[in-house]
């Protein structure tokens, strides 16, 4: 088998020729837990492409092209590259994405999966399958992305753990078994067996990204290589020969070509999952076939700001061919734009190409209104249904206040922050209208630290960042009475009650299975069948707040002029969701029901300034009478530690209100799964390390929202109110309205 990887710039004609044939294209990317070696693996691929010298590959972290990524030795954004590779006498184009592993940046993984058909899951041979491995594999399988496995850092088993060849094999089989159990748990039913990895079929690479070698079991059997030879290479210092004989990039790219399906195969099962349109229409057929001559349909995976060119939209062409000069329609923004330039990626560089057909990853200049998760179609085909919206597994729960040292820089700082939100939709920026404070919320403290660094680099503005604060959510635990909201002019009356929204409905909103803009009959059917809603109530939904998961329902009948003020009531509902009565934190999981109304006949007396306050006051009073509570964000912790330190670790968790969910024992390790409030997590890393004398691996990720303990509630509400400059006393329903 001859295989050569060459530099894309030199091969543009060949690249464009291959790009027209979906059978010779592969779209794949790395997926892994932080520090398991994804970017070092990508370095090996770049070395094979001649873009890195063998001396620096493995240390260059070339796909970490943002300076702070190099400084922190951490991938924070997803980087793309197109590789030309000859395998079995045929040329292939492999579009490759290097994704982050740290839990704070899972949003980048979510967006990258949309453009991938296969995921190269990198697992550290010592640490094994960790929480974030599980998270990214689950995300991949939800997007119908087929995983293959690279067990990295085999050298650690030899040098650090000093395992015998037999023990190394047992360790590898244990990791494969654990990995396959994830596929069994999360894979679509039709792929549960087909997608499990089999080392004997070459679906698992073993190697060391740092030392640039990799083998599969069939390769080892064919060449007679044994684990004892690998151990010998490390003991006698001829690892370079191992890398020369079994270069990692060849092994990985060959595995990707053999076991990751080409776009025309993958789209047959991915499109029904990602697109809700008619599969028998001309668009549906073109999408299933990855037809380069079909209508243009592109899914946007990311948008980034180029300081010279402006906004660059990256995504995958699922149907048709996108060309420089094309007029396109951006479905999310409902706008037409002209494609000024089309590119393919080489890590930090973009290479201009005249066009890019279906099945390929492309970057566009000129589509400024597009956002991650959007769908771009041909300008004359604006009626094409969009792709499913992306589901993020982490929510922005940690907040900092950002303040420029020079007030004159405020507008520039706000503009730069808005650009950051375009690039990273898991960020949230809010300007407090009363204090003028800029509040920036992210997934974790590291996430916000990186954003602040990028902001300083981009703007050169001097600003201060406050200590991190935890964002809570307000909710209720009971159904309220009906409360009357009067408009300020006393001419309009609205009657509401509130109750907790059930978990199933929250999940249906979170997964976008029900949305505000879908057909009310279809939505009512789903709510009735899956969440047990009453049909009339389900059909009466006026608004769905998919940011904080609240629903507004109309249960009135025959009210004069209600239709005319409906939009104002909806606006009042959204306004109320932003900041609740307990502590001005966002409201989550609330069903608001309008039961009756008296509306003035004169439009001059029923404008938004009358209807919105009436809506808000009645909802606030209802919330305060329905056993209001604060919800706090919880983290899931996966801890791997030597069994000797179990007691010390559990006492650290107990001290921080941690709850142990599960504990299992392996040969060398105990595995503790726990939940921990984000509020208690700021010093946990140092304490875990100290408790286990450094002999501990752990990972954290957002788990869920949970009511704060009753004993803490009143004090916590008072603390938040005090911090925000509000009266410390918790308000009562009568502060807003009189109960009926």
């Amino acid at each position: 088998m001859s295989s050569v990887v060459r530099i894309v710039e030199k091969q543009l004609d060949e690249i464009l020729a291959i790009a027209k044939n979906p059978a010779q294209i592969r779209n794949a990317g790395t997926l892994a837990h932080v520090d398991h070696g994804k970017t070092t693996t990508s370095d090996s691929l770049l070395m094979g492409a001649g873009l890195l010298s063998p001396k620096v590959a493995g240390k260059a972290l070339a796909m970490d092209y943002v300076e702070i990524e190099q400084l922190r030795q951490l991938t924070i954004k997803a980087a793309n590259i197109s590789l030309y590779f000859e395998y079995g006498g045929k040329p292939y184009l492999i579009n490759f994405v290097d994704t982050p592993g740290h839990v704070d940046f899972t949003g980048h993984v979510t967006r990258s999966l949309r453009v991938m058909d296969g995921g190269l899951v990198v697992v550290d041979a010592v640490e094994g399958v960790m929480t974030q491995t599980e998270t990214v594999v689950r995300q991949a399988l939800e997007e119908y992305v087929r995983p293959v496995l690279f067990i990295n850092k085999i050298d650690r088993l030899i040098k650090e753990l000093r395992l015998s060849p037999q023990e190394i094999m047992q360790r590898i089989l244990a990791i494969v078994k654990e990995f396959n159990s994830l596929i069994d748990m999360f894979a679509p039913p039709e792929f549960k067996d087909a997608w499990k990895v089999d080392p004997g079929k070459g679906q698992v690479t073993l190697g060391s990204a740092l030392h640039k070698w990799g083998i599969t079991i069939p390769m080892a059997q064919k060449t007679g290589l044994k684990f004892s030879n690998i151990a010998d290479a490390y003991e006698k210092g001829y690892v370079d020969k191992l890398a020369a004989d079994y270069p990692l990039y060849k092994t990985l790219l060959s595995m990707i070509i053999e076991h990751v399906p080409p776009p025309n195969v993958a789209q047959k099962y991915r499109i029904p999952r990602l697109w809700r349109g008619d599969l028998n229409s001309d668009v549906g057929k073109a999408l299933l076939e990855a037809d380069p001559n079909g209508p243009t349909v592109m899914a946007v995976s990311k948008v980034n700001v180029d300081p010279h060119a402006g906004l660059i939209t990256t995504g995958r062409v699922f149907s048709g061919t996108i060309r420089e000069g094309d007029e396109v329609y951006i479905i999310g923004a409902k706008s037409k734009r002209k494609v000024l330039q089309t590119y393919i990626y080489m890590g930090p560089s973009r290479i201009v190409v005249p066009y890019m057909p279906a099945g390929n990853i492309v970057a566009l200049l000129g589509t400024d209104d597009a956002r991650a998760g959007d769908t771009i179609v041909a300008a004359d085909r604006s009626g094409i249904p969009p792709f499913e919206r992306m589901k993020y597994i982490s929510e922005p729960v940690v907040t900092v206040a950002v303040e420029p040292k020079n007030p004159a820089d405020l507008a520039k700082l706000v503009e730069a922050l808005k650009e950051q939100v375009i690039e990273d939709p898991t960020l949230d920026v809010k300007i407090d209208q009363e204090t003028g404070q800029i509040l920036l919320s992210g997934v974790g403290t590291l996430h916000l630290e990186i954003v602040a660094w990028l902001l300083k680099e981009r703007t050169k503005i001097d600003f201060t960042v406050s200590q991190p604060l935890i964002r809570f959510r307000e909710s209720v635990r009971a159904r309220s009475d009906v409360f009357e909201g009067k408009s300020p002019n006393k001419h309009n009356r609205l009657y509401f009650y509130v109750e907790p929204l059930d978990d199933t409905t929250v999940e249906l909103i979170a997964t976008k299975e029900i949305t505000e803009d879908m057909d009310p009959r279809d939505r009512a059917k789903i709510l009735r069948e899956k969440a047990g809603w009453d049909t009339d109530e389900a059909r009466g939904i006026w608004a769905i707040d998919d940011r904080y998961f609240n629903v507004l329902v109309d249960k009135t009948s025959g009210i004069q002029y209600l239709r005319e003020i409906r939009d104002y009531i909806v606006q009042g509902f959204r306004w109320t969701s932003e900041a609740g009565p307990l502590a001005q934190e966002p409201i989550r999981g609330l069903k608001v029901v309008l039961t009756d109304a008296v509306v003035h006949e004169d439009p001059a007396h029923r404008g938004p300034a009358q209807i919105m306050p009436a809506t808000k006051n009645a909802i606030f009073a209802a919330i305060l009478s329905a056993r209001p509570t604060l919800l706090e964000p919880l983290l899931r912790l996966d801890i791997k530690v030597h069994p000797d330190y179990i007691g010390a670790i559990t006492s650290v968790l107990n001290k921080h209100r941690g709850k142990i969910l599960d504990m299992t024992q392996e040969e060398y390790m105990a595995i503790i799964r726990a939940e921990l409030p984000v509020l208690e997590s700021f010093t946990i890393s140092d304490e875990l390390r100290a408790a286990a004398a450094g002999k501990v691996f752990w990972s954290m990720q957002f788990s869920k929202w949970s009511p704060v303990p009753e004993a803490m509630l009143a004090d916590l509400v008072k603390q938040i109110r005090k911090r925000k400059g509000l009266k410390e006393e918790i308000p009562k329903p009568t502060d807003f309205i009189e109960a009926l």
Side-chain angles (χ1 to χ4, degrees), residues 486-499:
K486 290 179 190 166
S487 59
N489 62 12
K490 306 289 189 288
H491 292 322
N492 304 276
R493 295 162 191 245
L494 303 172
Y495 299 86
F496 292 98
Y497 71 83
V498 303
E499 64 185 2

Side-chain angles (χ1 to χ4, degrees), residues 578-597:
E578 291 286 329
L582 269 189
Q584 287 193 3
E585 293 287 294
I587 296 168
R588 187 182 200 276
L590 191 71
K591 185 198 280 188
V592 177
V593 181
L594 177 68
T595 62
D596 201 356

Side-chain angles (χ1 to χ4, degrees), residues 393-548:
I393 57 162
S394 296
E395 293 187 36
V397 294
V398 181
T399 300
V400 290
V402 182
E403 196 176 335
K405 289 189 176 171
N406 178 357
D409 290 330
L410 182 65
K412 190 179 172 188
L413 187 63
V414 168
E415 200 51 42
L417 274 165
K418 284 179 180 169
E419 285 183 352
Q420 293 275 25
V421 174
I422 290 171
E423 290 194 349
D424 183 356
T426 49
L427 284 171
D428 187 26
V429 173
K430 191 167 179 252
I431 297 161
D432 190 311
Q433 300 300 333
E434 290 176 21
T435 63
Q437 253 189 339
I438 305 169
L439 300 173
L440 177 66
S441 300
V443 173
T445 47
L446 177 68
H447 190 199
L448 294 172
E449 200 182 309
I450 299 286
V451 170
W453 189 92
L454 289 168
L455 208 56
K456 276 209 162 89
E457 284 300 297
R458 268 190 193 168
T459 62
K460 307 300 179 196
I461 293 172
D462 210 3
F463 58 83
T464 58
V465 178
S466 72
Q467 284 296 308
L469 306 166
I470 302 302
R471 293 295 300 271
F472 294 87
R473 299 284 185 265
E474 297 187 25
S475 197
V476 298
R477 290 167 289 176
R479 177 170 165 167
S480 73
D481 295 328
V482 173
F483 283 79
E484 176 189 71
K486 290 179 190 166
S487 59
N489 62 12
K490 306 289 189 288
H491 292 322
N492 304 276
R493 295 162 191 245
L494 303 172
Y495 299 86
F496 292 98
Y497 71 83
V498 303
E499 64 185 2
L501 200 58
D502 62 283
D503 292 343
T504 309
T505 304
V506 169
E507 184 63 20
L508 290 170
I509 299 169
T511 55
K512 316 293 183 195
E513 206 169 324
I514 61 164
T515 60
E516 189 173 304
D517 50 12
M518 73 191 289
D519 184 302
R521 285 166 302 186
D522 294 343
R523 188 174 58 213
K525 184 172 183 279
I526 293 168
L527 284 169
R528 192 177 65 243
E529 290 174 1
K530 296 196 175 180
W533 277 55
D534 169 76
T535 303
D536 290 341
E537 197 168 273
R539 283 187 180 166
I541 288 177
W542 271 6
I544 294 176
D545 164 22
D546 60 3
R547 188 175 179 192
Y548 300 123

Side-chain angles (χ1 to χ4, degrees), residues 110-380:
T110 304
R111 294 189 286 281
S112 300
L113 285 165
R114 184 56 55 95
V115 302
M116 287 154 52
D117 296 320
L120 177 66
V121 182
V122 185
V123 172
D124 182 319
V126 175
E127 293 188 18
V129 172
M130 297 287 281
T131 321
Q132 194 61 13
T133 321
E134 184 181 316
T135 302
V136 293
V137 169
R138 189 179 84 223
Q139 284 178 280
L141 293 168
E142 281 176 0
E143 283 270 336
Y144 280 45
V145 170
R146 180 178 184 165
V148 288
L149 181 61
F150 169 37
I151 301 177
N152 188 22
K153 306 192 187 183
I154 296 289
D155 51 299
R156 290 186 68 192
L157 299 180
I158 297 164
K159 294 192 298 184
E160 291 176 29
L161 298 187
R162 304 206 167 277
L163 300 186
S164 68
Q166 186 60 36
E167 289 170 323
I168 290 172
M169 200 64 215
Q170 283 171 351
R171 178 70 188 140
I172 287 161
L173 291 174
I175 290 172
V176 169
K177 187 180 174 188
E178 206 175 344
F179 184 74
N180 279 336
S181 73
L182 293 183
I183 293 173
D184 204 43
M185 214 182 306
F186 301 120
E190 64 270 37
F191 297 122
K192 275 192 196 301
D193 293 325
W195 284 3
K196 282 179 184 158
V197 295
D198 181 346
K201 290 181 181 169
Q203 292 161 341
V204 180
T205 292
L206 315 169
S208 165
L210 187 62
H211 302 126
K212 305 184 255 317
W213 66 269
I215 57 157
T216 60
I217 298 296
M219 280 172 63
Q221 288 168 340
K222 195 173 171 185
T223 58
L225 185 76
K226 295 182 173 65
F227 277 116
S228 52
N229 304 131
I230 297 167
D232 198 52
Y234 277 99
E235 277 163 29
K236 295 183 179 163
Y238 60 90
V239 178
D240 288 353
K241 185 174 185 324
L242 204 59
D245 293 344
Y246 304 96
L248 179 63
Y249 73 89
K250 279 190 185 179
T251 308
L252 290 178
L253 292 178
S254 302
M255 181 169 77
I256 285 166
I257 285 168
E258 284 176 25
H259 299 292
V260 168
N264 57 330
V265 174
Q267 287 184 204
K268 282 183 174 61
Y269 57 80
R270 288 195 74 207
I271 290 300
R273 168 74 180 174
L274 304 178
W275 188 72
R276 289 268 175 100
D278 178 5
L279 296 172
N280 293 314
S281 64
D282 64 332
V283 183
K285 287 173 182 168
L287 285 166
L288 291 170
E289 297 296 330
D291 181 0
N293 301 312
T296 300
V297 184
M298 173 179 163
V300 178
S301 63
K302 70 172 182 176
V303 178
N304 57 298
V305 181
D306 181 300
H308 310 295
L311 293 175
I312 305 292
T313 305
T314 303
R316 170 160 161 182
V317 187
F318 278 89
S319 160
T321 298
I322 206 149
R323 292 178 175 82
E324 196 174 294
D326 278 358
E327 199 178 5
V328 294
Y329 181 76
I330 300 160
I331 293 179
K334 297 184 172 64
S335 66
K336 285 187 181 178
R337 286 284 186 164
K338 190 174 183 179
V339 176
L340 302 178
Q341 262 184 335
T342 51
Y343 313 93
I344 55 174
Y345 273 104
M346 283 304 288
S349 315
R350 292 189 308 275
I351 315 298
V352 177
V353 289
Y355 60 86
M356 201 36 73
N360 289 282
I361 294 172
V362 69
L364 308 177
L365 178 67
T367 49
D368 288 11
D369 300 340
R371 296 293 177 265
D374 252 339
T375 306
I376 294 177
V377 297
D380 59 346

Side-chain angles (χ1 to χ4, degrees), residues 718-732:
K718 284 177 182 172
Q719 280 173 33
I720 299 168
R721 290 182 69 84
K722 186 177 178 183
R723 190 186 78 223
K724 291 183 174 181
L726 306 167
K727 284 183 189 167
E728 281 184 50
E729 189 186 332
I730 296 170
K732 303 176 193 68

